[in-house]
Amino acid sequence: MATRSLPPEPGTTSARACVLGVTQSLSGRAWRWRGGNMDLGEGSGGGPGSGAGGLGQDILTQLLMTRGVTAGDVARHARPTLRDFLPDPSEFRDMDRAAQRIAAAVLSGEKITIYGDYDVDGATSAALMIELLRGLGSDAEYYIPDRLLEGYGPSGEALVRLAETGSSLIVTVDCGAMAHEALAMAKAAGVDVIVVDHHKCSPELPETAALVNPNRLDESDLAAAHGHLAAVGVAFLLAVAVVRTLRGQDFFEGRQEPDLMALLDLVALGTVADVAELHGLNRAFVAQGLKVLARRQRIGMAALIDASRITRAPIASDLGFALGPRINAGGRIGESTLGVRLLTTRDPEEARTISEQLSQLNEERRAIEAAVQEAAEAQLAGQHNMAVHVLAGTGWHPGVIGIVAGRIKEKTGKPAIVIAQDETDGTGKGSGRSISGVDLGAAIIAAREAGLLVAGGGHAMAAGLTVPNANLSAFTEFLDERLARDVERARAGQAMALDLSLAPGGLTPDLCETLEAAGPYGVGWPAPRIAVGPVRIVKADIVGKDHLRLIASGNDGRSFKAIAFRAAETEMAQTLLHRHQGRRFHLAGRVKLDDWGARPAAELHLEDAAFAD
């Protein structure tokens, strides 16, 4: 019979036991239980999906507990709501000061400009603040810098120009925490600047009217516990504080309060697209935001969903892989304001036009990205001993280097920084992505403070920088020395973490529904991974450019489809393609619902495989 246990205490032998005895898979990893043994294999009858009760409820409970939820807190996390997770915004430093300053600007009719970053988090944060102020009767303007011409973060010149054109209050979103010089210029010009950010801060803060950031080094423990928020999440907390402040001043006597819950579609999109950790408040933001998205009330968001060819209610992965990349494409290779314009427009025709434009830009971005990735990967052979891959080249488009860094990180299992060098000014703009357990943002800040960088900052998993070309070697050596031990420790602990093991007959739409109930999933709240087997490979081929497609069949007579994306050249794919005859395998990956056919079916998005005999 199948074992249906709750997770043992961390560190116990059973918690670390190898799943199905796999100590070395085709990708070289051991398979470990994420928590307790959930073996639903051939002896169980292979039927784990049973709706909201029975075994389905056992699975849901275990999924929550293996992601850090205590037994007494399962109900709250099973249905995350803002009522249960939203902190008092006043717990954050400068929050009340920022809310009071914005409220005063609304009451006096001041000109307010929202200064946002050009990525999805910046666009959604800016759109949220604009929509809030519209609801308060203030037609705020916005400014989104050009990625290529102005770079990341507020420039002093831009802030001064905004002041000269009448803005007495500027709110920066998703940027500004490290913009000491630019903000000093703004203060000298007589304009108040409120910074709403989530990137790492230095001990010395820039001069502002208020700086709201859970990652301030002087934050309270409660606020610092929300350091995983994206900037759009911080902006939502500020929106709550502003409305509360105005309510206390009787501003809403005879007028309707803004519907803050209607802003959660923006919060969900920015949170997922910025790869923020989906636990606690962020999970509540995304869970409730998906409900708002399903109602299609925001004209621009509905047009974006249609342009993405999503015909059902969006799920969390759609935000990261379909909607987010389209918004990002504007800031990466097109016009930086397209995202904010789309998310704030009231004109359906304008929304349709911008959505189509963003989809086209996204296709162009993919082609540019592929060329840069090929060039970057050509440099990897000479860096196999490096703890951090630093890859640089001239002619690389700065708008795709972050995506390529993420691809390199996934391929090598090490942090990666990709730098687009400019021979004209002798500098390179870089973007980095890290692995769990390695704080890349802190290392970049340290490199800047050591005089190796012109600019740099970020958070643990992602960072940006500007480096003089002449400093590239010294910067690479600095990172290698600083992070080598962290990378070694992080990689030594790598294993394939599995939640369930089952026979092919258990791979059903009901199982998909049960697993989805513990979502939304993302960084910090990983989607469940299952092992299926033993199976024989009925058919294996390559589809698209480099995707492995399989049909596998088990001893129970049930077969299923599996696909491994961008895996054609891996050892796993080559084994399953050419050396599978007569062998049985266990396959591991994530379950997805394939609803393209007449009858929905569960398929496996394959990540690893191991010999079963």
Side-chain angles (χ1 to χ4, degrees):
M1 292 296 292
T3 302
R4 303 195 303 178
S5 62
L6 295 180
E9 292 297 321
T12 63
T13 301
S14 58
R16 298 295 296 163
C18 286
V19 178
L20 302 171
V22 177
T23 57
Q24 186 171 9
S25 68
L26 295 183
S27 69
R29 289 178 286 183
W31 290 2
R32 305 283 188 186
W33 290 116
R34 195 184 305 277
N37 181 327
M38 279 294 282
D39 181 2
L40 308 176
E42 294 177 345
S44 72
S50 58
L55 184 51
Q57 189 62 42
D58 285 353
I59 292 173
L60 174 61
T61 298
Q62 171 140 318
L63 290 176
L64 295 172
M65 293 182 67
T66 54
R67 283 151 183 79
V69 178
T70 62
D73 208 18
V74 166
R76 185 170 71 114
H77 286 267
R79 294 178 179 81
T81 64
L82 294 195
R83 180 185 298 275
D84 288 335
F85 286 94
L86 194 73
D88 182 347
S90 295
E91 292 285 348
F92 294 76
R93 290 192 181 275
D94 280 4
M95 182 70 80
D96 289 340
R97 183 184 301 175
Q100 289 161 8
R101 179 65 185 88
I102 292 173
V106 169
L107 290 168
S108 61
E110 292 179 58
K111 183 178 179 181
I112 306 172
T113 297
I114 309 300
Y115 193 117
D117 188 26
Y118 38 67
D119 69 357
V120 184
D121 193 16
T124 52
S125 298
L128 185 149
M129 294 303 300
I130 292 164
E131 292 286 86
L132 168 71
L133 292 167
R134 279 180 178 174
L136 298 174
S138 176
D139 289 327
E141 297 184 357
Y142 60 85
Y143 185 93
I144 310 295
D146 184 280
R147 178 189 290 264
L148 299 182
L149 299 178
E150 299 176 82
Y152 170 76
S155 71
E157 293 78 6
L159 294 175
V160 171
R161 284 198 306 272
L162 293 173
E164 291 173 347
T165 56
S167 293
S168 55
L169 176 62
I170 300 172
V171 182
T172 73
V173 288
D174 196 30
C175 58
M178 298 293 292
H180 296 71
E181 185 176 327
L183 293 170
M185 291 176 64
K187 182 177 181 180
V191 63
D192 285 342
V193 180
I194 294 172
V195 171
V196 180
D197 205 352
H198 69 134
H199 295 99
K200 286 187 176 294
C201 297
S202 60
E204 181 182 351
L205 298 175
E207 294 182 285
T208 62
L211 196 157
V212 184
N213 185 337
N215 288 305
R216 287 175 55 153
L217 298 180
D218 59 349
E219 263 298 3
S220 67
D221 290 343
L222 187 149
H226 291 85
H228 63 298
L229 293 180
V232 70
V234 182
F236 183 85
L237 292 176
L238 177 57
V240 173
V242 170
V243 169
R244 184 171 63 185
T245 298
L246 287 170
R247 187 186 301 130
Q249 298 176 14
D250 298 326
F251 178 77
F252 298 110
E253 292 293 331
R255 72 172 75 195
Q256 187 173 355
E257 290 192 12
D259 182 4
L260 297 182
M261 296 297 286
L263 301 174
L264 290 176
D265 58 342
L266 297 170
V267 181
L269 176 56
T271 297
V272 174
D274 209 53
V275 201
E277 294 185 0
L278 290 193
H279 57 77
L281 178 57
N282 275 349
R283 245 184 103 239
F285 276 150
V286 176
Q288 299 306 315
L290 287 171
K291 296 177 182 178
V292 178
L293 269 171
R295 294 198 287 268
R296 296 172 60 92
Q297 294 173 326
R298 190 175 308 282
I299 292 171
M301 202 76 85
L304 189 64
I305 292 169
D306 291 340
S308 303
R309 297 183 175 85
I310 298 172
T311 57
R312 45 162 172 70
I315 59 177
S317 60
D318 294 326
L319 308 185
F321 294 104
L323 307 186
R326 284 171 166 77
I327 296 286
N328 255 335
R332 291 186 186 280
I333 64 171
E335 183 185 338
S336 62
T337 62
L338 287 175
V340 177
R341 285 173 53 198
L342 174 67
L343 297 174
T344 57
T345 185
R346 297 287 193 265
D347 182 348
E349 182 58 28
E350 181 185 27
R352 185 189 64 78
T353 300
I354 295 176
S355 293
E356 291 177 355
Q357 185 178 357
L358 287 172
S359 291
Q360 179 60 41
L361 287 170
N362 194 45
E363 291 300 316
E364 295 176 19
R365 184 269 306 167
R366 287 176 176 171
I368 295 170
E369 173 195 327
V372 174
Q373 183 170 343
E374 182 179 0
E377 288 186 355
Q379 299 180 16
L380 285 175
Q383 297 193 6
H384 64 279
N385 289 325
M386 302 297 292
V388 180
H389 293 298
V390 180
L391 311 163
T394 58
W396 293 1
H397 198 298
V400 302
I401 53 177
I403 304 174
V404 174
R407 300 274 193 224
I408 300 293
K409 179 207 67 170
E410 292 298 326
K411 181 172 184 174
T412 65
K414 296 180 179 180
I417 296 174
V418 178
I419 299 171
Q421 294 178 306
D422 187 339
E423 294 181 336
T424 303
D425 65 7
T427 67
K429 286 185 168 49
S431 186
R433 298 294 183 268
S434 193
I435 60 177
S436 295
V438 180
D439 191 337
L440 186 60
I444 295 299
I445 291 173
R448 191 200 72 231
E449 292 175 344
L452 295 172
L453 304 177
V454 175
H459 48 80
M461 299 298 288
L465 58 97
T466 302
V467 57
N469 294 339
N471 288 358
L472 183 60
S473 294
F475 169 61
T476 301
E477 292 174 4
F478 177 90
L479 285 184
D480 192 61
E481 181 177 348
R482 180 183 174 92
L483 296 178
R485 288 187 178 180
D486 291 344
V487 172
E488 183 179 0
R489 281 194 295 266
R491 285 168 58 82
Q494 286 181 349
M496 174 71 79
L498 288 147
D499 295 277
L500 304 171
S501 171
L502 45 79
L507 202 64
T508 66
D510 281 348
L511 175 64
C512 295
E513 181 180 343
T514 297
L515 299 182
E516 195 64 32
Y521 299 106
V523 174
W525 194 269
R529 188 181 285 120
I530 71 168
V532 187
V535 299
R536 297 188 187 278
I537 307 302
V538 177
K539 182 180 179 181
D541 58 4
I542 300 298
V543 295
K545 182 180 179 182
D546 57 358
H547 309 315
L548 171 67
R549 179 176 61 184
L550 300 175
I551 297 178
S553 178
N555 295 337
D556 58 2
R558 302 292 293 275
S559 61
F560 61 91
K561 296 178 182 177
I563 187 166
F565 295 104
R566 296 183 296 276
E569 300 303 319
T570 63
E571 176 65 23
M572 176 191 74
Q574 292 301 308
T575 299
L576 295 174
L577 277 167
H578 305 300
R579 298 191 292 275
H580 66 265
Q581 290 82 0
R583 301 300 301 268
R584 297 196 308 166
F585 297 88
H586 295 298
L587 305 180
R590 306 188 191 279
V591 184
K592 299 294 180 181
L593 186 65
D594 178 5
D595 53 6
W596 284 98
R599 293 176 54 189
E603 67 177 19
L604 185 69
H605 285 195
L606 183 65
E607 297 178 70
D608 204 357
F611 290 113
D613 48 29

